[in-house]
Amino acid sequence: MKKKAQLKIWTTIAILIVFFVILMFGFIFYTQVEKISFERTQREAEARRSIDVAQVLTNLPELQCSVGAVERGICFDYYKLEVAEESINDEWLYYYGMFGYSDIEVKDLSGSGKNFTLYENQGDKTSYTTGFIPISIYDPIERLFSFGVIKVKSYYGQ
Amino acid sequence: MNIQGTRNKRGIIEAQLTWVFILIVGVIILLFFVGIAQKQKQISDTKNAAEILQQLDGILTGAEVSTGTASLVNIPKLDIELTCDAFTIEGVTKQLDARVVFGPDLIQGRQLVMYNLDWSVPYRVTNFLYLTSPNVRYVLVGEAEQELESLLPEYITYESIPTSDNFTDKKNYKVRFVFWDKQGNIPDVRGDISAVSINDNSASFNNGLTWSPSIAYEGDAFKVGAVFAENSEQFNCTVKKAEEKKRIVTELYQDRINLLKSKYSAGEACRELLDINLTAFYDLESRNYDLQLQSCPTIY
């Protein structure tokens, strides 16, 4: 009888142990699913980041062109691009707040063919998303527009 | 020996002990699940706040680039804390970095008013972003109405009164009195009450006790900023941010002017008109107009 009672108690304890083990596996599975979901949300946020950077870039007075003293949208001034390469590098810390971990290049496709590297900061990030935005580049001396493209490489992950 | 009686006693004790054991284990399991649920709620709240912060950051970026527009955005019922450098939702903070943002330190309610104006000196330096809630009440006292009403955006809750004695309390969580060129009296009412005294080139703030020293500025964009800024510390901080941006933009414009000048020969009209020092030259508008007349590249 004593042995029967002991066996009963051990059975109950074994059931509880199995129950908690199953619960633990269930919890681990759930946290893994949440982690994957969170990583996906992070990737989407990073993809949006390159668009945000491009949006800010196309509205910077440091780059925006003006024709007849009127600012034009989605247009860069050629000579501002020429001086911005060095200027942005000199004020790197200021622009880091704006651009974060990204590489920003502007290529003049139909005019000079020149490539302007405005900002570079990969940091220790390993992954990236790239966004291309078409833009006009205005030469205020020749008074001509040319086609250009902005390439924004936004880095994330470690 | 009464063996039957002993057996009965043992059975009763065993039954009671079994129930005690069940109770203890049951409480442990319950506490375990309650702990998990609480932890999960915490994680979920933080995750929600981070997502909302990310979306709000995107909305602010969009709002900042479209000048002169006011918008009313529906947001979840969460308190947004704003400082000169960052905004916080449910303990999760996002830096504002280079953005110049004016607004109350606490934005409550289900709607957010966003407005921006460009700051030009006369070339555009940056866009100022103004944030507030329709639940904040702005009271323009006396002359402030004529001087400022045309600059204020739609969607905000504001009214005009001849003197601060005409104020009636409507239990808003935040009230801002706006005076034009005088440090008026603030009514003694409960709640978060503050005041600002604005004129064409400086502003002074009152948190309900004393008036701060005047802070100088230039441009209408700052006047509007003074209406929305929480206090003199926030306003001063944003003025400094804007001045820093002005320095950077001015240097770049100067470099551009020097480069453009180098493309012309000595004696050419464009070269002479472009021979200026931006920090020392006072009539940029007319010089820019002259450059236009001569078909030269303009300064801005």
Side-chain angles (χ1 to χ4, degrees), chain A residues 23 30 59 61-62 64 66 68-69 71 77 80 91 94-95 97 143, chain B residues 32-33 40 65 97 124-125 245 247-248 252-253 256 260 292 295 300:
Chain A
L23 201 68
Y30 172 73
N59 284 278
E62 295 96 300
Q64 213 167 12
S66 50
E71 274 186 341
D77 183 288
K80 283 187 182 177
E91 303 289 346
Y94 179 87
Y95 287 101
R143 295 173 161 216
Chain B
F32 177 73
F33 278 110
Q40 203 50 40
V65 302
D97 297 313
R124 187 170 67 92
V125 172
K245 183 73 197 282
R247 179 189 66 78
I248 292 168
L252 187 140
Y253 268 74
R256 175 180 173 269
L260 284 168
Q292 256 188 292
S295 302
Y300 63 94

PDB file of all heavy atoms in Angstrom, chain A residues 23 30 59 61-62 64 66 68-69 71 77 80 91 94-95 97 143, chain B residues 32-33 40 65 97 124-125 245 247-248 252-253 256 260 292 295 300:
ATOM      1  N   LEU A  23       5.449  22.814 -22.008  1.00  0.00           N
ATOM      2  CA  LEU A  23       5.183  24.260 -21.933  1.00  0.00           C
ATOM      3  C   LEU A  23       6.414  25.067 -22.340  1.00  0.00           C
ATOM      4  O   LEU A  23       6.339  26.055 -23.063  1.00  0.00           O
ATOM      5  CB  LEU A  23       4.808  24.602 -20.488  1.00  0.00           C
ATOM      6  CG  LEU A  23       4.029  25.891 -20.280  1.00  0.00           C
ATOM      7  CD1 LEU A  23       2.656  25.750 -20.880  1.00  0.00           C
ATOM      8  CD2 LEU A  23       3.896  26.185 -18.787  1.00  0.00           C
ATOM      9  N   TYR A  30       7.326  29.921 -29.513  1.00  0.00           N
ATOM     10  CA  TYR A  30       6.630  31.208 -29.623  1.00  0.00           C
ATOM     11  C   TYR A  30       7.628  32.368 -29.694  1.00  0.00           C
ATOM     12  O   TYR A  30       7.498  33.265 -30.526  1.00  0.00           O
ATOM     13  CB  TYR A  30       5.681  31.382 -28.433  1.00  0.00           C
ATOM     14  CG  TYR A  30       5.056  32.746 -28.347  1.00  0.00           C
ATOM     15  CD1 TYR A  30       4.061  33.141 -29.229  1.00  0.00           C
ATOM     16  CD2 TYR A  30       5.476  33.667 -27.376  1.00  0.00           C
ATOM     17  CE1 TYR A  30       3.493  34.396 -29.161  1.00  0.00           C
ATOM     18  CE2 TYR A  30       4.910  34.915 -27.309  1.00  0.00           C
ATOM     19  CZ  TYR A  30       3.927  35.278 -28.206  1.00  0.00           C
ATOM     20  OH  TYR A  30       3.379  36.538 -28.135  1.00  0.00           O
ATOM     21  N   ASN A  59      15.444  67.399 -50.490  1.00  0.00           N
ATOM     22  CA  ASN A  59      14.934  68.682 -50.005  1.00  0.00           C
ATOM     23  C   ASN A  59      15.965  69.511 -49.254  1.00  0.00           C
ATOM     24  O   ASN A  59      15.628  70.543 -48.679  1.00  0.00           O
ATOM     25  CB  ASN A  59      13.722  68.443 -49.107  1.00  0.00           C
ATOM     26  CG  ASN A  59      12.496  68.107 -49.930  1.00  0.00           C
ATOM     27  OD1 ASN A  59      11.820  68.981 -50.450  1.00  0.00           O
ATOM     28  ND2 ASN A  59      12.240  66.823 -50.078  1.00  0.00           N
ATOM     29  N   PRO A  61      18.536  72.259 -48.669  1.00  0.00           N
ATOM     30  CA  PRO A  61      18.888  73.506 -49.368  1.00  0.00           C
ATOM     31  C   PRO A  61      20.354  73.487 -49.819  1.00  0.00           C
ATOM     32  O   PRO A  61      20.712  74.195 -50.755  1.00  0.00           O
ATOM     33  CB  PRO A  61      18.655  74.583 -48.314  1.00  0.00           C
ATOM     34  CG  PRO A  61      18.602  73.891 -47.016  1.00  0.00           C
ATOM     35  CD  PRO A  61      18.188  72.507 -47.259  1.00  0.00           C
ATOM     36  N   GLU A  62      21.168  72.623 -49.170  1.00  0.00           N
ATOM     37  CA  GLU A  62      22.585  72.513 -49.552  1.00  0.00           C
ATOM     38  C   GLU A  62      22.771  71.938 -50.954  1.00  0.00           C
ATOM     39  O   GLU A  62      23.850  72.036 -51.530  1.00  0.00           O
ATOM     40  CB  GLU A  62      23.325  71.574 -48.581  1.00  0.00           C
ATOM     41  CG  GLU A  62      23.405  72.060 -47.141  1.00  0.00           C
ATOM     42  CD  GLU A  62      22.311  71.460 -46.282  1.00  0.00           C
ATOM     43  OE1 GLU A  62      21.120  71.677 -46.589  1.00  0.00           O
ATOM     44  OE2 GLU A  62      22.631  70.797 -45.286  1.00  0.00           O
ATOM     45  N   GLN A  64      19.693  71.538 -53.299  1.00  0.00           N
ATOM     46  CA  GLN A  64      18.571  71.844 -54.178  1.00  0.00           C
ATOM     47  C   GLN A  64      18.910  72.968 -55.146  1.00  0.00           C
ATOM     48  O   GLN A  64      19.566  73.951 -54.777  1.00  0.00           O
ATOM     49  CB  GLN A  64      17.358  72.251 -53.324  1.00  0.00           C
ATOM     50  CG  GLN A  64      16.053  71.834 -53.924  1.00  0.00           C
ATOM     51  CD  GLN A  64      14.898  71.960 -52.953  1.00  0.00           C
ATOM     52  OE1 GLN A  64      15.015  72.559 -51.893  1.00  0.00           O
ATOM     53  NE2 GLN A  64      13.764  71.422 -53.311  1.00  0.00           N
ATOM     54  N   SER A  66      18.061  76.120 -57.806  1.00  0.00           N
ATOM     55  CA  SER A  66      17.071  77.195 -57.957  1.00  0.00           C
ATOM     56  C   SER A  66      17.247  77.800 -59.337  1.00  0.00           C
ATOM     57  O   SER A  66      18.380  78.037 -59.787  1.00  0.00           O
ATOM     58  CB  SER A  66      17.201  78.225 -56.853  1.00  0.00           C
ATOM     59  OG  SER A  66      18.512  78.641 -56.703  1.00  0.00           O
ATOM     60  N   GLY A  68      16.033  80.948 -61.603  1.00  0.00           N
ATOM     61  CA  GLY A  68      15.372  82.248 -61.481  1.00  0.00           C
ATOM     62  C   GLY A  68      15.012  82.539 -60.047  1.00  0.00           C
ATOM     63  O   GLY A  68      13.958  83.075 -59.751  1.00  0.00           O
ATOM     64  N   ALA A  69      15.907  82.171 -59.147  1.00  0.00           N
ATOM     65  CA  ALA A  69      15.749  82.396 -57.697  1.00  0.00           C
ATOM     66  C   ALA A  69      14.553  81.665 -57.098  1.00  0.00           C
ATOM     67  O   ALA A  69      14.068  82.023 -56.027  1.00  0.00           O
ATOM     68  CB  ALA A  69      15.659  83.896 -57.375  1.00  0.00           C
ATOM     69  N   GLU A  71      13.301  77.838 -55.924  1.00  0.00           N
ATOM     70  CA  GLU A  71      13.767  76.464 -55.695  1.00  0.00           C
ATOM     71  C   GLU A  71      12.927  75.487 -56.497  1.00  0.00           C
ATOM     72  O   GLU A  71      11.698  75.604 -56.547  1.00  0.00           O
ATOM     73  CB  GLU A  71      13.680  76.121 -54.207  1.00  0.00           C
ATOM     74  CG  GLU A  71      14.909  76.551 -53.423  1.00  0.00           C
ATOM     75  CD  GLU A  71      14.877  76.074 -51.987  1.00  0.00           C
ATOM     76  OE1 GLU A  71      13.805  75.733 -51.472  1.00  0.00           O
ATOM     77  OE2 GLU A  71      15.954  76.039 -51.368  1.00  0.00           O
ATOM     78  N   ASP A  77      21.673  71.303 -57.800  1.00  0.00           N
ATOM     79  CA  ASP A  77      22.542  72.267 -58.462  1.00  0.00           C
ATOM     80  C   ASP A  77      23.906  71.605 -58.652  1.00  0.00           C
ATOM     81  O   ASP A  77      24.487  71.055 -57.706  1.00  0.00           O
ATOM     82  CB  ASP A  77      22.651  73.516 -57.575  1.00  0.00           C
ATOM     83  CG  ASP A  77      23.484  74.602 -58.214  1.00  0.00           C
ATOM     84  OD1 ASP A  77      24.719  74.434 -58.288  1.00  0.00           O
ATOM     85  OD2 ASP A  77      22.904  75.631 -58.618  1.00  0.00           O
ATOM     86  N   LYS A  80      26.636  73.002 -56.418  1.00  0.00           N
ATOM     87  CA  LYS A  80      26.430  72.632 -55.008  1.00  0.00           C
ATOM     88  C   LYS A  80      26.924  71.192 -54.787  1.00  0.00           C
ATOM     89  O   LYS A  80      27.533  70.884 -53.762  1.00  0.00           O
ATOM     90  CB  LYS A  80      24.947  72.734 -54.630  1.00  0.00           C
ATOM     91  CG  LYS A  80      24.467  74.148 -54.401  1.00  0.00           C
ATOM     92  CD  LYS A  80      23.050  74.162 -53.864  1.00  0.00           C
ATOM     93  CE  LYS A  80      22.546  75.567 -53.670  1.00  0.00           C
ATOM     94  NZ  LYS A  80      21.140  75.616 -53.220  1.00  0.00           N
ATOM     95  N   GLU A  91      31.569  68.248 -42.180  1.00  0.00           N
ATOM     96  CA  GLU A  91      30.548  68.288 -41.112  1.00  0.00           C
ATOM     97  C   GLU A  91      29.942  66.894 -40.934  1.00  0.00           C
ATOM     98  O   GLU A  91      28.737  66.736 -40.794  1.00  0.00           O
ATOM     99  CB  GLU A  91      29.449  69.302 -41.483  1.00  0.00           C
ATOM    100  CG  GLU A  91      29.946  70.700 -41.736  1.00  0.00           C
ATOM    101  CD  GLU A  91      30.399  71.404 -40.470  1.00  0.00           C
ATOM    102  OE1 GLU A  91      30.089  70.908 -39.362  1.00  0.00           O
ATOM    103  OE2 GLU A  91      31.072  72.453 -40.585  1.00  0.00           O
ATOM    104  N   TYR A  94      27.473  66.074 -38.082  1.00  0.00           N
ATOM    105  CA  TYR A  94      26.155  66.702 -38.251  1.00  0.00           C
ATOM    106  C   TYR A  94      25.295  65.863 -39.203  1.00  0.00           C
ATOM    107  O   TYR A  94      24.140  65.581 -38.932  1.00  0.00           O
ATOM    108  CB  TYR A  94      26.328  68.131 -38.796  1.00  0.00           C
ATOM    109  CG  TYR A  94      25.018  68.834 -39.024  1.00  0.00           C
ATOM    110  CD1 TYR A  94      24.389  69.537 -37.988  1.00  0.00           C
ATOM    111  CD2 TYR A  94      24.383  68.793 -40.266  1.00  0.00           C
ATOM    112  CE1 TYR A  94      23.177  70.166 -38.189  1.00  0.00           C
ATOM    113  CE2 TYR A  94      23.166  69.419 -40.466  1.00  0.00           C
ATOM    114  CZ  TYR A  94      22.573  70.101 -39.429  1.00  0.00           C
ATOM    115  OH  TYR A  94      21.364  70.723 -39.631  1.00  0.00           O
ATOM    116  N   TYR A  95      25.898  65.452 -40.304  1.00  0.00           N
ATOM    117  CA  TYR A  95      25.128  64.709 -41.314  1.00  0.00           C
ATOM    118  C   TYR A  95      24.912  63.253 -40.920  1.00  0.00           C
ATOM    119  O   TYR A  95      24.008  62.593 -41.442  1.00  0.00           O
ATOM    120  CB  TYR A  95      25.787  64.831 -42.686  1.00  0.00           C
ATOM    121  CG  TYR A  95      25.601  66.196 -43.270  1.00  0.00           C
ATOM    122  CD1 TYR A  95      26.621  67.141 -43.224  1.00  0.00           C
ATOM    123  CD2 TYR A  95      24.389  66.565 -43.831  1.00  0.00           C
ATOM    124  CE1 TYR A  95      26.438  68.414 -43.721  1.00  0.00           C
ATOM    125  CE2 TYR A  95      24.198  67.839 -44.344  1.00  0.00           C
ATOM    126  CZ  TYR A  95      25.235  68.761 -44.280  1.00  0.00           C
ATOM    127  OH  TYR A  95      25.041  70.015 -44.764  1.00  0.00           O
ATOM    128  N   GLY A  97      23.679  62.382 -38.125  1.00  0.00           N
ATOM    129  CA  GLY A  97      22.352  62.430 -37.544  1.00  0.00           C
ATOM    130  C   GLY A  97      21.258  62.359 -38.602  1.00  0.00           C
ATOM    131  O   GLY A  97      20.175  61.868 -38.369  1.00  0.00           O
ATOM    132  N   ARG A 143      22.944  76.917 -67.917  1.00  0.00           N
ATOM    133  CA  ARG A 143      21.472  76.944 -67.834  1.00  0.00           C
ATOM    134  C   ARG A 143      20.873  75.713 -68.505  1.00  0.00           C
ATOM    135  O   ARG A 143      19.923  75.805 -69.293  1.00  0.00           O
ATOM    136  CB  ARG A 143      20.908  78.214 -68.461  1.00  0.00           C
ATOM    137  CG  ARG A 143      21.314  79.439 -67.709  1.00  0.00           C
ATOM    138  CD  ARG A 143      20.883  80.670 -68.456  1.00  0.00           C
ATOM    139  NE  ARG A 143      20.862  81.792 -67.573  1.00  0.00           N
ATOM    140  CZ  ARG A 143      19.987  82.773 -67.612  1.00  0.00           C
ATOM    141  NH1 ARG A 143      19.041  82.760 -68.503  1.00  0.00           N
ATOM    142  NH2 ARG A 143      20.071  83.771 -66.774  1.00  0.00           N
TER     143      ARG A 143
ATOM    144  N   PHE B  32       3.146  31.122 -12.463  1.00  0.00           N
ATOM    145  CA  PHE B  32       4.012  30.974 -13.646  1.00  0.00           C
ATOM    146  C   PHE B  32       3.342  31.606 -14.867  1.00  0.00           C
ATOM    147  O   PHE B  32       3.963  32.403 -15.589  1.00  0.00           O
ATOM    148  CB  PHE B  32       4.295  29.486 -13.861  1.00  0.00           C
ATOM    149  CG  PHE B  32       5.113  29.204 -15.089  1.00  0.00           C
ATOM    150  CD1 PHE B  32       6.465  29.509 -15.122  1.00  0.00           C
ATOM    151  CD2 PHE B  32       4.529  28.634 -16.208  1.00  0.00           C
ATOM    152  CE1 PHE B  32       7.216  29.242 -16.249  1.00  0.00           C
ATOM    153  CE2 PHE B  32       5.287  28.374 -17.340  1.00  0.00           C
ATOM    154  CZ  PHE B  32       6.629  28.681 -17.366  1.00  0.00           C
ATOM    155  N   PHE B  33       2.085  31.283 -15.072  1.00  0.00           N
ATOM    156  CA  PHE B  33       1.384  31.823 -16.245  1.00  0.00           C
ATOM    157  C   PHE B  33       1.136  33.325 -16.125  1.00  0.00           C
ATOM    158  O   PHE B  33       1.244  34.055 -17.120  1.00  0.00           O
ATOM    159  CB  PHE B  33       0.059  31.084 -16.467  1.00  0.00           C
ATOM    160  CG  PHE B  33       0.230  29.786 -17.194  1.00  0.00           C
ATOM    161  CD1 PHE B  33       0.035  28.573 -16.538  1.00  0.00           C
ATOM    162  CD2 PHE B  33       0.626  29.757 -18.520  1.00  0.00           C
ATOM    163  CE1 PHE B  33       0.210  27.373 -17.205  1.00  0.00           C
ATOM    164  CE2 PHE B  33       0.810  28.556 -19.186  1.00  0.00           C
ATOM    165  CZ  PHE B  33       0.601  27.365 -18.530  1.00  0.00           C
ATOM    166  N   GLN B  40       4.988  39.222 -21.187  1.00  0.00           N
ATOM    167  CA  GLN B  40       4.568  39.313 -22.584  1.00  0.00           C
ATOM    168  C   GLN B  40       3.898  40.663 -22.856  1.00  0.00           C
ATOM    169  O   GLN B  40       4.123  41.284 -23.900  1.00  0.00           O
ATOM    170  CB  GLN B  40       3.612  38.163 -22.896  1.00  0.00           C
ATOM    171  CG  GLN B  40       3.509  37.797 -24.358  1.00  0.00           C
ATOM    172  CD  GLN B  40       4.851  37.593 -25.013  1.00  0.00           C
ATOM    173  OE1 GLN B  40       5.772  37.020 -24.422  1.00  0.00           O
ATOM    174  NE2 GLN B  40       5.009  38.085 -26.216  1.00  0.00           N
ATOM    175  N   VAL B  65       9.377  67.980 -45.130  1.00  0.00           N
ATOM    176  CA  VAL B  65       9.817  68.377 -46.467  1.00  0.00           C
ATOM    177  C   VAL B  65       8.736  69.129 -47.247  1.00  0.00           C
ATOM    178  O   VAL B  65       9.043  69.754 -48.245  1.00  0.00           O
ATOM    179  CB  VAL B  65      10.335  67.172 -47.290  1.00  0.00           C
ATOM    180  CG1 VAL B  65      11.487  66.497 -46.580  1.00  0.00           C
ATOM    181  CG2 VAL B  65       9.244  66.175 -47.601  1.00  0.00           C
ATOM    182  N   ASP B  97      17.879  64.336 -33.896  1.00  0.00           N
ATOM    183  CA  ASP B  97      19.132  64.650 -34.606  1.00  0.00           C
ATOM    184  C   ASP B  97      19.116  66.101 -35.079  1.00  0.00           C
ATOM    185  O   ASP B  97      18.959  67.021 -34.302  1.00  0.00           O
ATOM    186  CB  ASP B  97      19.353  63.674 -35.764  1.00  0.00           C
ATOM    187  CG  ASP B  97      19.509  62.250 -35.258  1.00  0.00           C
ATOM    188  OD1 ASP B  97      20.283  62.058 -34.298  1.00  0.00           O
ATOM    189  OD2 ASP B  97      18.848  61.346 -35.789  1.00  0.00           O
ATOM    190  N   ARG B 124      17.127  79.657 -48.181  1.00  0.00           N
ATOM    191  CA  ARG B 124      16.511  78.705 -47.253  1.00  0.00           C
ATOM    192  C   ARG B 124      17.593  77.944 -46.504  1.00  0.00           C
ATOM    193  O   ARG B 124      18.518  77.398 -47.102  1.00  0.00           O
ATOM    194  CB  ARG B 124      15.588  77.738 -48.006  1.00  0.00           C
ATOM    195  CG  ARG B 124      14.780  76.833 -47.068  1.00  0.00           C
ATOM    196  CD  ARG B 124      13.709  76.080 -47.835  1.00  0.00           C
ATOM    197  NE  ARG B 124      14.286  75.111 -48.755  1.00  0.00           N
ATOM    198  CZ  ARG B 124      14.521  73.835 -48.455  1.00  0.00           C
ATOM    199  NH1 ARG B 124      14.256  73.371 -47.252  1.00  0.00           N
ATOM    200  NH2 ARG B 124      15.016  73.014 -49.361  1.00  0.00           N
ATOM    201  N   VAL B 125      17.457  77.914 -45.188  1.00  0.00           N
ATOM    202  CA  VAL B 125      18.427  77.196 -44.354  1.00  0.00           C
ATOM    203  C   VAL B 125      17.875  75.819 -43.991  1.00  0.00           C
ATOM    204  O   VAL B 125      18.548  74.802 -44.128  1.00  0.00           O
ATOM    205  CB  VAL B 125      18.743  78.002 -43.074  1.00  0.00           C
ATOM    206  CG1 VAL B 125      19.592  77.182 -42.115  1.00  0.00           C
ATOM    207  CG2 VAL B 125      19.453  79.302 -43.433  1.00  0.00           C
ATOM    208  N   LYS B 245      22.873  75.005 -38.335  1.00  0.00           N
ATOM    209  CA  LYS B 245      22.521  74.664 -39.718  1.00  0.00           C
ATOM    210  C   LYS B 245      22.797  75.860 -40.640  1.00  0.00           C
ATOM    211  O   LYS B 245      23.290  75.697 -41.748  1.00  0.00           O
ATOM    212  CB  LYS B 245      21.044  74.255 -39.787  1.00  0.00           C
ATOM    213  CG  LYS B 245      20.588  73.800 -41.180  1.00  0.00           C
ATOM    214  CD  LYS B 245      21.139  72.441 -41.547  1.00  0.00           C
ATOM    215  CE  LYS B 245      21.070  72.130 -43.023  1.00  0.00           C
ATOM    216  NZ  LYS B 245      19.755  71.739 -43.508  1.00  0.00           N
ATOM    217  N   ARG B 247      25.071  78.115 -40.262  1.00  0.00           N
ATOM    218  CA  ARG B 247      26.521  78.208 -40.452  1.00  0.00           C
ATOM    219  C   ARG B 247      26.967  77.243 -41.551  1.00  0.00           C
ATOM    220  O   ARG B 247      27.710  77.611 -42.463  1.00  0.00           O
ATOM    221  CB  ARG B 247      27.252  77.891 -39.137  1.00  0.00           C
ATOM    222  CG  ARG B 247      28.749  77.937 -39.232  1.00  0.00           C
ATOM    223  CD  ARG B 247      29.430  77.405 -37.969  1.00  0.00           C
ATOM    224  NE  ARG B 247      29.207  75.990 -37.742  1.00  0.00           N
ATOM    225  CZ  ARG B 247      29.833  74.997 -38.379  1.00  0.00           C
ATOM    226  NH1 ARG B 247      30.716  75.272 -39.319  1.00  0.00           N
ATOM    227  NH2 ARG B 247      29.568  73.736 -38.095  1.00  0.00           N
ATOM    228  N   ILE B 248      26.472  76.009 -41.491  1.00  0.00           N
ATOM    229  CA  ILE B 248      26.871  74.980 -42.463  1.00  0.00           C
ATOM    230  C   ILE B 248      26.394  75.351 -43.871  1.00  0.00           C
ATOM    231  O   ILE B 248      27.148  75.258 -44.837  1.00  0.00           O
ATOM    232  CB  ILE B 248      26.317  73.599 -42.036  1.00  0.00           C
ATOM    233  CG1 ILE B 248      27.015  73.124 -40.759  1.00  0.00           C
ATOM    234  CG2 ILE B 248      26.484  72.557 -43.143  1.00  0.00           C
ATOM    235  CD1 ILE B 248      26.361  71.934 -40.087  1.00  0.00           C
ATOM    236  N   LEU B 252      28.623  76.424 -47.266  1.00  0.00           N
ATOM    237  CA  LEU B 252      28.488  75.720 -48.543  1.00  0.00           C
ATOM    238  C   LEU B 252      28.135  76.698 -49.661  1.00  0.00           C
ATOM    239  O   LEU B 252      28.675  76.631 -50.764  1.00  0.00           O
ATOM    240  CB  LEU B 252      27.422  74.626 -48.420  1.00  0.00           C
ATOM    241  CG  LEU B 252      27.288  73.700 -49.625  1.00  0.00           C
ATOM    242  CD1 LEU B 252      27.079  72.270 -49.199  1.00  0.00           C
ATOM    243  CD2 LEU B 252      26.173  74.142 -50.556  1.00  0.00           C
ATOM    244  N   TYR B 253      27.210  77.625 -49.354  1.00  0.00           N
ATOM    245  CA  TYR B 253      26.837  78.631 -50.363  1.00  0.00           C
ATOM    246  C   TYR B 253      28.042  79.483 -50.739  1.00  0.00           C
ATOM    247  O   TYR B 253      28.222  79.845 -51.906  1.00  0.00           O
ATOM    248  CB  TYR B 253      25.703  79.504 -49.831  1.00  0.00           C
ATOM    249  CG  TYR B 253      24.318  79.005 -50.178  1.00  0.00           C
ATOM    250  CD1 TYR B 253      23.772  77.901 -49.530  1.00  0.00           C
ATOM    251  CD2 TYR B 253      23.548  79.631 -51.151  1.00  0.00           C
ATOM    252  CE1 TYR B 253      22.497  77.439 -49.839  1.00  0.00           C
ATOM    253  CE2 TYR B 253      22.268  79.175 -51.456  1.00  0.00           C
ATOM    254  CZ  TYR B 253      21.759  78.072 -50.796  1.00  0.00           C
ATOM    255  OH  TYR B 253      20.495  77.613 -51.120  1.00  0.00           O
ATOM    256  N   ARG B 256      30.293  77.588 -53.011  1.00  0.00           N
ATOM    257  CA  ARG B 256      29.670  77.523 -54.349  1.00  0.00           C
ATOM    258  C   ARG B 256      29.878  78.824 -55.100  1.00  0.00           C
ATOM    259  O   ARG B 256      30.235  78.825 -56.285  1.00  0.00           O
ATOM    260  CB  ARG B 256      28.178  77.222 -54.216  1.00  0.00           C
ATOM    261  CG  ARG B 256      27.423  77.248 -55.552  1.00  0.00           C
ATOM    262  CD  ARG B 256      25.951  76.953 -55.345  1.00  0.00           C
ATOM    263  NE  ARG B 256      25.178  77.132 -56.562  1.00  0.00           N
ATOM    264  CZ  ARG B 256      24.604  78.273 -56.908  1.00  0.00           C
ATOM    265  NH1 ARG B 256      24.704  79.336 -56.136  1.00  0.00           N
ATOM    266  NH2 ARG B 256      23.906  78.357 -58.041  1.00  0.00           N
ATOM    267  N   LEU B 260      31.814  79.287 -58.582  1.00  0.00           N
ATOM    268  CA  LEU B 260      31.158  79.907 -59.748  1.00  0.00           C
ATOM    269  C   LEU B 260      31.989  81.097 -60.244  1.00  0.00           C
ATOM    270  O   LEU B 260      32.181  81.284 -61.447  1.00  0.00           O
ATOM    271  CB  LEU B 260      29.741  80.372 -59.384  1.00  0.00           C
ATOM    272  CG  LEU B 260      28.676  79.289 -59.261  1.00  0.00           C
ATOM    273  CD1 LEU B 260      27.413  79.859 -58.616  1.00  0.00           C
ATOM    274  CD2 LEU B 260      28.346  78.675 -60.613  1.00  0.00           C
ATOM    275  N   GLN B 292      20.346  87.950 -61.545  1.00  0.00           N
ATOM    276  CA  GLN B 292      19.309  87.468 -62.459  1.00  0.00           C
ATOM    277  C   GLN B 292      19.232  88.357 -63.697  1.00  0.00           C
ATOM    278  O   GLN B 292      19.149  87.865 -64.827  1.00  0.00           O
ATOM    279  CB  GLN B 292      17.944  87.521 -61.751  1.00  0.00           C
ATOM    280  CG  GLN B 292      17.435  86.179 -61.301  1.00  0.00           C
ATOM    281  CD  GLN B 292      16.007  86.287 -60.785  1.00  0.00           C
ATOM    282  OE1 GLN B 292      15.757  86.903 -59.746  1.00  0.00           O
ATOM    283  NE2 GLN B 292      15.085  85.711 -61.504  1.00  0.00           N
ATOM    284  N   SER B 295      21.765  87.720 -66.201  1.00  0.00           N
ATOM    285  CA  SER B 295      21.762  86.303 -66.633  1.00  0.00           C
ATOM    286  C   SER B 295      22.936  85.539 -66.047  1.00  0.00           C
ATOM    287  O   SER B 295      23.518  84.648 -66.698  1.00  0.00           O
ATOM    288  CB  SER B 295      21.809  86.205 -68.168  1.00  0.00           C
ATOM    289  OG  SER B 295      20.725  86.879 -68.729  1.00  0.00           O
ATOM    290  N   TYR B 300      20.992  82.223 -54.663  1.00  0.00           N
ATOM    291  CA  TYR B 300      20.004  81.263 -54.158  1.00  0.00           C
ATOM    292  C   TYR B 300      18.757  81.278 -55.026  1.00  0.00           C
ATOM    293  O   TYR B 300      18.642  82.160 -55.894  1.00  0.00           O
ATOM    294  CB  TYR B 300      19.646  81.583 -52.688  1.00  0.00           C
ATOM    295  CG  TYR B 300      19.001  82.926 -52.472  1.00  0.00           C
ATOM    296  CD1 TYR B 300      17.627  83.069 -52.436  1.00  0.00           C
ATOM    297  CD2 TYR B 300      19.802  84.060 -52.276  1.00  0.00           C
ATOM    298  CE1 TYR B 300      17.032  84.316 -52.261  1.00  0.00           C
ATOM    299  CE2 TYR B 300      19.215  85.293 -52.091  1.00  0.00           C
ATOM    300  CZ  TYR B 300      17.830  85.418 -52.081  1.00  0.00           C
ATOM    301  OH  TYR B 300      17.247  86.647 -51.891  1.00  0.00           O
TER     302      TYR B 300
END
